[in-house]
């Protein structure tokens, strides 16, 4: 039977040509299936009907099924009807279907002779066949062998279900025999060929290990003897048969995915890749598209090293398919979208080319052919006019893969003992060159530097020799980089404190010693802010972020980050302690990323505050959701409850260490509502303020609620409305000018905003309002006494608070006539609106907006440098102060 798809198979595959010639009836049998993928149900039906009465029939049927799947899938692929995903899924399904069929058959046969394997409690046991490598990832190629590991949950013995005499076996012996039968059923080469070659060398102890083992033996091995390359191998492990897979995951997951930074994975995979490259060169395998430069293995390594390092903390990375992992790396900000697209495109091309190479002779090879006939067949199979064109496309993809691979696996620094500053770090007393070296490196107090280094070495003397060697290798380049920073001695002190904190975690020392880019970024952060230094020293796992500059300096995608945080919290559902730590780690990581961008000059103060406010909104929303879910009793699926932000949160002017001014509202007629929402409010406050080993989420201030600290923790929207309209003080209406709905029930949020605008637009007596605003301003000033002789940027006259009070007065007095002033847009935008409305001379409004921006910028810079108060010499901001004073005189007359 002639069919265009089969004609193309014959032209592009010698094996296909031979198969069609030897079995012409096969084309007729398969032709009707070319319009759709060869699905799992079709495979199972072929093996099941008619039932296989004996071992030989089953084995023959499986091999005939493989021939049908090969012909149908190859034809669809070469015709352009099957994409890479279909081809990989079809072959992975074939392996699973055949494994299951053969296992069921041979288990039944063995059990008939020896009884069913059972554990000590009499529960039946089934073999758990674990697919590794490409089978585990659902990425099997058309001529691949399959990497399998044979396991069973519990030790025990076989037992008969009736009085039929049997020869009992231990479970261990039963499953070893079953494993041998399964291996033969799949891999023996008969007159009909084979189904899959089986490779069992990834099992514990390799070829010398038992054919099958219990979960307990596997766990003991992984804990005591598991090697770095085995962690890499187990990433893709997937149980294909049996039950109790959750128990297996609990054994394997902590071995593969470590809770903290696992920088050693870089070195392990780099070493593994060096070995592969060396073997490729020795065997002259540069044309191997899997193992050669820029090949499939480098794409897999690039994805999987991030899984090993980050997967313990980012559960979304605990996945198997390479393309899925690459997509998650973009979603979590670990690689750029451009890198993902180039790697994914190369993976698709290389895997499809791999299949076409294997179509030639149904051989397990990824090597480009040397002979002209095969090259011509390969060019046609890829839809290109000539083989040279194929090579050009291939080279483009391989070059891109190599570039991305080498960016991730950059070679470590060379030995630092020859570094110019090695003498200064040696600890040799009275070396005459030390002072000169340190001065030339940028240090104006060499004796203090020597003291810091001596103390650091003395502390390290109690550590292991290998850790001391790593510290010694790190110090010279660190000294050089820190010397180029502003205030290098203070920065070195912060660096030394960090080294003392992490000295027992040598993996961090290795990271900084081997990767100068991470060390330079760390030095910039330490120099910029003692607050940042304290954060990193208390939470050294944040050093993890320094090895991925593309994520560290990329603009946050808050929608994507929210999805990532939800996934991480869902992975720890029911574990309050872990969820608290997850929220805190997330905040620390995002704050560090914003800090790095801030230090690099990529963010204005306004943009930084916006991002910090988005971060707080996100964390509050998740905290609300998890606290509601964790209440022992609640009367509805979703709470009629809202979180309102005031102050810096409400005005989106948060700083790094800002607390949160919060008010809690509800709108629920249930008689239990007050009690339930009070418990919810208390739980939210506890989640935010509890100090865990990972730190605190936010300090909170709840005193802006009705009646302040003596009032109820949560108010109904009705009670809140009555309070604001009839009982609130003027300063509470001032606070409303920068209040906003943050999270919770959107309808309550809308009601709050309607009420807020109504209150702001109430008619007010101008003189009385001015008097009350000025009285509150003076009260605040009296509460922040400044006898330093310096100008306090926030509290002194001509400072930030003056601008805020002027804007609040303008809003409260003129909002009725100018409703646009009710918009919570921030002081700069509202000043400009007041200028446009003629409430303030436009030039003064513009100048005051610029002055406010400069005050905030100066305040931020001083706070970042670690000063408790943002104060400067009086002449420093003379022009800015004069502008603010002019605004105050015009608006408040005081």
């Amino acid at each position: 039977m002639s069919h265009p798809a089969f004609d193309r198979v014959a032209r592009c595959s010698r094996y296909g040509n031979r198969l069609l010639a030897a079995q012409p009836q096969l084309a007729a049998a398969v032709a009707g299936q070319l319009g759709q993928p060869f699905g799992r149900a079709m495979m199972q039906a072929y093996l099941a009907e008619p039932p296989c009465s004996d071992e030989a029939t089953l084995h023959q049927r499986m091999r005939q099924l493989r021939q049908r799947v090969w012909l149908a899938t190859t034809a669809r692929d070469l015709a352009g009807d099957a994409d890479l995903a279909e081809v990989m899924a079809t072959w992975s399904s074939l392996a699973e279907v055949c494994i299951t069929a053969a296992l069921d058959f041979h288990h039944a046969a063995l059990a008939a002779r020896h009884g069913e394997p059972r554990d000590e409690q009499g529960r039946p046991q089934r073999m758990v066949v674990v697919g590794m490598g490409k089978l585990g990832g659902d990425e099997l190629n058309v001529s691949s062998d399959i990497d399998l590991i044979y396991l069973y949950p519990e030790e025990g013995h076989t037992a008969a279900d009736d009085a039929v005499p049997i020869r009992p076996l231990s479970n261990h012996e039963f499953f070893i025999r079953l494993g041998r039968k399964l291996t033969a059923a799949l891999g023996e080469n008969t007159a009909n060929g084979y189904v899959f070659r089986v490779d069992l060398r990834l099992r514990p102890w390799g070829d010398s290990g038992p054919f099958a083992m219990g979960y307990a033996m596997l766990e003991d091995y992984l804990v005591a003897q598991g090697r770095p390359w085995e962690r890499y191998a187990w990433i893709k492990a997937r149980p294909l048969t049996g039950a109790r897979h959750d128990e297996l995951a609990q054994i394997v997951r902590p071995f593969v995915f470590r809770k903290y930074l696992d920088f050693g994975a870089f070195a392990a995979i780099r070493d593994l890749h060096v070995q592969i490259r060396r073997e490729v060169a020795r065997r002259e395998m540069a044309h191997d598209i899997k193992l050669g430069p820029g090949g499939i293995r480098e794409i897999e390594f690039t994805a999987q090293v991030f899984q090993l390092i980050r997967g313990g903390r980012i559960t979304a990375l605990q996945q198997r398919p390479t393309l899925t992992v690459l997509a998650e790396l973009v979603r979590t900000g670990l690689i750029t979208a451009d890198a993902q697209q180039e790697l994914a495109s190369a993976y698709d091309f290389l895997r499809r080319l791999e299949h076409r190479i294997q179509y030639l002779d149904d051989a397990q090879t990824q090597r480009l052919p040397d002979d002209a006939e095969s090259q011509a067949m390969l060019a046609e199979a890829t839809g290109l006019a000539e083989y040279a064109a194929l090579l050009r496309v291939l080279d483009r993809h391989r070059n891109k893969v190599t570039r991305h691979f080498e960016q991730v696996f950059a070679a470590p620094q060379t030995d630092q003992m020859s570094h110019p500053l090695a003498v200064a770090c040696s600890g040799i007393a009275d070396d005459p060159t030390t002072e000169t070296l340190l001065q030339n490196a940028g240090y104006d107090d060499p004796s203090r530097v020597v003291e810091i280094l001596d103390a650091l070495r003395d502390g390290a003397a109690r550590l292991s020799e290998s850790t001391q060697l790593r510290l010694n290798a790190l110090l010279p380049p660190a000294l050089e980089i820190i010397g180029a920073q502003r205030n290098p001695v203070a920065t070195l002190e912060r660096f030394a404190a960090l080294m003392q904190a992490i000295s027992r975690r040598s993996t961090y020392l290795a990271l900084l010693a081997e990767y100068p880019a991470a060390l330079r970024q760390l030095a910039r952060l330490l120099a910029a802010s003692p607050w940042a230094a304290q954060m990193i020293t208390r939470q050294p796992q944040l050093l993890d972020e320094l090895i991925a500059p593309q994520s560290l300096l990329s603009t946050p995608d808050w929608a994507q980050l929210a999805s990532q945080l939800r996934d991480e919290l869902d992975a720890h559902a029911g574990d309050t302690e872990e969820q608290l730590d997850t929220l805190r780690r997330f905040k620390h990581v995002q704050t560090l990323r914003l800090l790095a961008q801030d230090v690099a000059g990529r963010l204005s103060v306004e943009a930084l505050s916006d991002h910090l406010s988005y971060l707080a909104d996100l964390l509050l929303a998740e905290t609300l959701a998890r606290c509601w879910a964790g209440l022992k009793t609640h009367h509805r699926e979703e709470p009629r409850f809202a979180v309102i932000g005031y102050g810096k949160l409400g005005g989106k002017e948060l700083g790094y260490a800002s607390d949160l001014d919060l008010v809690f509202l509800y709108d629920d007629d249930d008689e239990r509502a007050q009690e339930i929402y009070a418990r919810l409010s208390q739980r939210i406050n506890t989640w935010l303020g509890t100090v865990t080993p990972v730190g605190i989420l936010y300090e909170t201030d709840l005193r802006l609620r009705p009646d302040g600290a003596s009032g109820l923790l949560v108010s109904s929207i009705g009670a809140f409305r009555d309070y604001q309209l009839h009982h609130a003080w003027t300063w509470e209406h001032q606070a409303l000018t920068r209040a906003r709905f943050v999270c919770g029930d959107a309808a309550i949020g809308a009601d709050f905003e309607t009420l807020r605008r109504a209150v702001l637009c109430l008619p007010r007596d101008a003189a009385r309002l001015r008097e009350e605003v000025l009285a509150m301003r003076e009260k605040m000033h009296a509460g922040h006494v400044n006898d330093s002789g310096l100008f306090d940027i926030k509290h002194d006259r001509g400072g930030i608070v003056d601008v805020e009070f002027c804007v609040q007065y303008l809003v409260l007095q003129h909002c009725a006539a100018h409703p646009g002033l009710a918009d919570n847009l921030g002081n700069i935008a509202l000043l400009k609106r007041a200028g446009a409305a003629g409430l303030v001379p436009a030039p003064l409004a513009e100048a005051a907006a610029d002055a406010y921006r400069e005050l905030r910028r100066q305040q931020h810079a001083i706070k970042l440098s670690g000063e408790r108060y943002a104060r400067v010499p009086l002449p420093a901001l003379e022009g800015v102060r004069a502008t603010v004073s002019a605004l105050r005189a015009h608006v408040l007359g005081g």
Side-chain angles (χ1 to χ4, degrees):
M1 174 180 179
S2 178
H3 190 288
F6 296 143
D7 292 343
R8 185 168 175 77
V9 169
R11 292 197 307 274
C12 298
S13 168
R14 286 182 288 266
Y15 171 78
N17 192 26
R18 292 194 301 270
L19 186 64
L20 288 165
Q23 300 185 51
Q25 76 284 358
L26 192 59
V30 170
Q33 298 170 341
L34 295 183
Q36 60 182 334
F38 205 124
R40 185 183 298 250
M42 297 165 62
M43 300 175 195
Q44 292 169 331
Y46 184 83
L47 293 180
E49 293 296 335
C52 297
S53 57
D54 55 39
E55 179 179 345
T57 302
L58 173 66
H59 293 185
Q60 180 186 42
R61 191 87 58 82
M62 289 194 299
R63 283 151 179 78
Q64 290 171 342
L65 173 61
R66 181 192 186 275
Q67 292 171 350
R68 287 175 175 243
V69 171
W70 188 97
L71 184 57
T73 306
T74 301
R76 283 179 54 78
D77 186 9
L78 292 175
D81 295 328
D83 60 10
L84 175 63
E86 178 188 320
V87 176
M88 294 190 301
T90 299
W91 281 96
S92 300
S93 294
L94 175 65
E96 292 182 53
V97 167
C98 289
I99 288 169
T100 300
L103 189 67
D104 289 346
F105 182 93
H106 288 293
H107 180 104
L110 275 173
R113 292 194 297 274
H114 302 287
E116 286 287 344
R118 299 182 181 277
D119 65 12
E120 299 300 337
Q121 284 73 45
R123 294 173 297 189
Q125 302 288 292
R126 298 285 293 186
M127 178 180 279
V128 178
V129 178
V130 179
M132 308 288 283
K134 287 186 169 59
L135 174 56
D138 266 328
E139 300 166 321
L140 212 56
N141 62 53
V142 298
S143 296
S144 177
D145 59 5
I146 53 175
D147 296 297
L148 302 179
I149 293 177
Y150 300 149
L151 303 172
Y152 53 92
E154 300 285 349
E155 300 295 347
H157 292 81
T158 60
D161 291 327
D162 50 37
V164 177
I166 62 165
R167 288 196 303 112
L169 300 172
S170 68
N171 287 356
H172 187 63
E173 180 60 27
F174 181 94
F175 288 115
I176 284 177
R177 294 189 184 189
L178 180 56
R180 295 190 187 282
K181 283 288 189 181
L182 176 60
T183 302
L186 297 169
E188 279 188 354
N189 207 343
T190 71
N192 296 106
Y194 62 92
V195 189
F196 288 98
R197 292 173 295 269
V198 177
D199 190 336
L200 301 171
R201 291 175 295 176
L202 291 180
R203 69 187 188 272
W205 296 286
D207 284 337
S208 61
F211 232 61
M213 67 182 63
Y215 282 1
M217 183 184 292
L218 172 68
E219 183 171 21
D220 290 344
Y221 174 85
L222 294 180
V223 169
Q225 301 185 51
R227 290 159 290 182
W229 69 262
E230 289 178 292
R231 292 184 55 214
Y232 169 80
W234 277 91
I235 284 178
K236 288 185 180 289
R238 179 167 60 97
L240 308 176
T241 65
R244 298 174 67 174
H245 296 166
D246 288 344
E247 293 178 38
L248 178 59
Q250 293 301 316
I251 294 170
V252 173
R253 189 179 294 118
F255 171 67
V256 177
F257 302 109
R258 305 292 165 84
K259 186 175 182 180
Y260 297 107
L261 167 72
D262 185 22
F263 178 70
F266 263 119
I269 290 190
R270 188 196 304 119
D271 292 344
L272 180 59
H273 184 260
V274 167
Q275 295 174 26
I276 292 172
R277 282 272 178 96
R278 190 179 299 126
E279 186 69 8
V280 167
R282 187 178 70 81
R283 296 188 180 183
E284 299 180 349
M285 295 168 59
H287 292 302
D288 189 305
I289 66 167
K290 176 182 178 181
L291 301 179
I296 297 166
R297 182 57 55 83
E298 289 190 354
I299 301 174
E300 294 171 338
F301 276 177
T302 300
Q304 289 167 345
V305 71
F306 284 108
Q307 290 184 274
L308 288 179
I309 292 171
R310 306 287 191 119
R313 301 275 292 283
I314 304 176
T315 53
L317 294 180
Q318 295 179 17
Q319 301 194 59
R320 301 180 184 93
T322 300
L323 292 176
T324 302
V325 173
L326 288 173
E328 285 295 338
L329 291 176
V330 175
R331 201 168 75 88
T332 52
L334 294 173
I335 64 173
T336 65
D338 288 344
Q340 182 266 339
Q341 289 167 4
E342 290 186 351
L343 290 171
S345 177
Y347 184 81
D348 182 83
F349 177 83
L350 290 167
R351 290 300 309 272
R352 288 187 295 107
L353 178 58
E354 172 189 41
H355 290 156
R356 281 148 181 75
I357 293 172
Q358 294 174 348
Y359 290 153
L360 293 173
D361 297 295
D362 191 25
Q364 186 190 5
T365 179
Q366 289 85 15
R367 185 182 177 88
L368 294 169
D370 297 323
D371 63 289
E373 178 188 70
S374 297
Q375 292 175 352
M377 295 171 74
L378 202 56
E380 180 177 353
T382 53
L384 295 169
E386 57 180 5
Y387 186 66
L390 169 60
L391 292 181
R392 287 193 293 272
V393 177
L394 173 62
D395 286 343
R396 284 199 297 271
H397 283 297
R398 293 177 75 170
N399 289 337
K400 291 175 181 177
V401 171
T402 295
R403 174 165 51 84
H404 291 299
F405 179 86
E406 290 179 349
Q407 286 175 352
V408 173
F409 292 94
Q413 290 192 96
T414 56
D415 177 49
Q416 294 297 339
M417 300 316 293
S418 59
H419 193 285
L421 290 174
V423 172
C425 299
S426 65
I428 300 174
D430 302 323
D431 190 302
T433 63
T434 295
E435 182 173 346
T436 301
L437 284 169
L438 291 174
Q439 286 177 337
N440 291 339
Y443 297 93
D444 57 7
D445 189 354
S447 61
R448 177 60 187 142
V449 173
V450 171
E451 290 176 9
I452 295 169
L453 295 175
D454 285 346
L456 190 54
R457 277 191 301 271
D458 289 345
R462 297 184 295 273
L463 302 175
S464 68
E465 182 180 355
S466 63
T467 300
Q468 292 183 53
L469 289 173
R470 281 183 168 173
L471 180 61
N472 291 339
L474 172 61
L475 285 178
L479 207 59
E480 177 186 7
I481 292 169
I482 291 171
Q485 305 300 316
R486 179 174 54 84
N487 199 355
V489 174
T491 303
L492 182 62
E493 289 174 337
R494 297 164 195 165
F495 177 79
L498 174 61
M499 291 303 99
Q500 290 170 351
I502 67 173
S503 58
R504 296 189 183 278
R505 298 287 300 278
S506 61
T507 183
Y508 292 125
L509 299 179
L511 181 157
L512 297 171
E514 290 197 12
Y515 287 86
L519 182 58
R520 283 193 294 271
Q521 183 64 60
L522 174 63
R524 283 193 288 269
L525 293 171
L526 297 180
S529 169
W531 173 82
Q534 291 171 3
M535 181 174 70
I536 296 172
T537 301
R538 290 171 183 161
Q539 304 296 331
Q541 67 270 18
L542 291 172
L543 292 170
D544 188 358
E545 300 302 312
L546 304 184
I547 60 178
Q550 66 273 19
S551 62
L552 194 66
L553 297 176
S554 61
T555 302
D557 181 336
W558 292 110
Q560 186 180 83
L561 289 168
S563 175
Q564 176 188 328
L565 177 59
R566 281 194 295 273
D567 290 345
E568 292 183 40
L569 290 167
D570 288 343
H572 302 293
D575 187 341
T576 298
E577 181 178 346
E578 188 57 42
Q579 288 188 329
L580 288 173
D581 285 347
T582 296
L583 289 165
R584 284 151 178 74
R585 280 193 294 265
F586 182 86
K587 182 196 176 186
H588 294 330
V589 168
Q590 303 313 320
T591 302
L592 182 73
R593 291 178 178 179
L594 292 172
L595 178 62
Q597 295 174 49
D598 184 12
V599 169
R602 297 191 177 196
L603 294 176
S604 66
V605 175
E606 295 97 318
L608 173 65
S609 293
D610 283 345
H611 284 307
L612 289 171
S613 300
Y614 294 143
L615 174 59
D617 290 0
L618 193 165
L619 291 167
L620 283 167
E622 283 303 320
T623 298
L624 167 57
R626 307 296 160 164
C627 287
W628 180 253
L631 283 183
K632 291 182 179 179
T633 57
H634 47 68
H635 59 298
R636 59 171 64 247
E637 188 68 24
E638 296 294 334
R640 294 294 312 279
F641 178 93
V643 177
I644 308 299
Y646 275 72
K648 290 182 178 179
L649 175 63
K652 294 187 178 179
E653 292 185 347
L654 282 182
Y656 290 119
S658 296
D659 60 5
L660 303 184
D661 292 303
L662 303 176
V663 167
F664 301 129
L665 301 177
Y666 73 91
D667 185 13
D668 193 328
D669 294 332
D670 191 283
E671 61 183 12
R672 299 163 294 172
Q674 176 68 47
E675 177 187 351
I676 290 173
Y677 292 127
R679 285 204 305 271
L680 175 61
S681 301
Q682 185 61 57
R683 187 176 178 88
I684 291 171
N685 200 44
T686 299
W687 271 49
L688 295 173
T690 296
V691 179
T692 78
V694 185
I696 190 172
L697 202 55
Y698 290 101
E699 292 183 357
T700 58
D701 189 338
L702 308 181
R703 291 174 297 176
L704 286 174
R705 66 186 187 267
D707 296 316
S710 62
L712 296 172
L713 195 59
V714 59
S715 301
S716 70
I717 188 70
F720 184 80
R721 180 182 296 108
D722 178 71
Y723 181 84
Q724 290 294 337
L725 292 174
H726 302 112
H727 307 289
W729 297 84
T730 297
W731 68 264
E732 291 178 288
H733 287 175
Q734 287 179 248
L736 270 182
T737 63
R738 54 178 189 170
R740 65 184 176 89
F741 166 69
V742 172
C743 62
D745 187 291
I748 299 176
D751 287 346
F752 168 79
E753 180 60 18
T754 299
L755 172 62
R756 188 184 77 89
R757 288 177 175 273
V759 170
L760 296 182
C761 291
L762 289 173
R764 291 176 174 88
D765 178 78
R768 182 178 177 186
L769 176 63
R770 183 177 290 109
E771 178 183 336
E772 291 177 343
V773 169
L774 281 171
M776 179 55 65
R777 175 69 185 97
E778 291 308 312
K779 184 176 181 180
M780 281 190 66
H781 189 269
H784 294 84
V785 177
N786 175 18
D787 54 9
S788 66
L790 303 172
F791 170 58
D792 188 305
I793 290 175
K794 180 175 182 181
H795 293 289
D796 282 354
R797 291 194 63 149
I800 287 174
V801 174
D802 271 357
V803 178
E804 293 174 342
F805 270 61
C806 287
V807 171
Q808 289 163 11
Y809 172 84
L810 289 169
V811 171
L812 293 178
Q813 181 58 39
H814 300 289
C815 197
H818 302 279
L821 292 175
D823 295 340
N824 186 356
L825 300 175
N827 292 305
I828 291 174
L830 290 175
L831 277 170
K832 292 181 178 180
R833 285 194 176 184
L839 306 177
V840 177
L844 177 58
E846 190 70 32
D850 291 340
Y852 181 74
R853 182 183 290 110
E854 178 60 18
L855 287 168
R856 285 199 61 207
R857 191 187 68 79
Q858 293 270 2
Q859 180 193 44
H860 174 69
I862 294 170
K863 289 284 190 179
L864 195 60
S865 70
E867 297 296 329
R868 181 178 180 185
Y869 299 108
R871 292 171 176 172
V872 297
L874 288 171
L877 291 172
E878 186 174 350
V880 168
R881 291 168 56 213
T883 298
V884 174
S885 295
L887 176 71
R888 172 171 166 154
H890 179 84
V891 174
L892 296 175

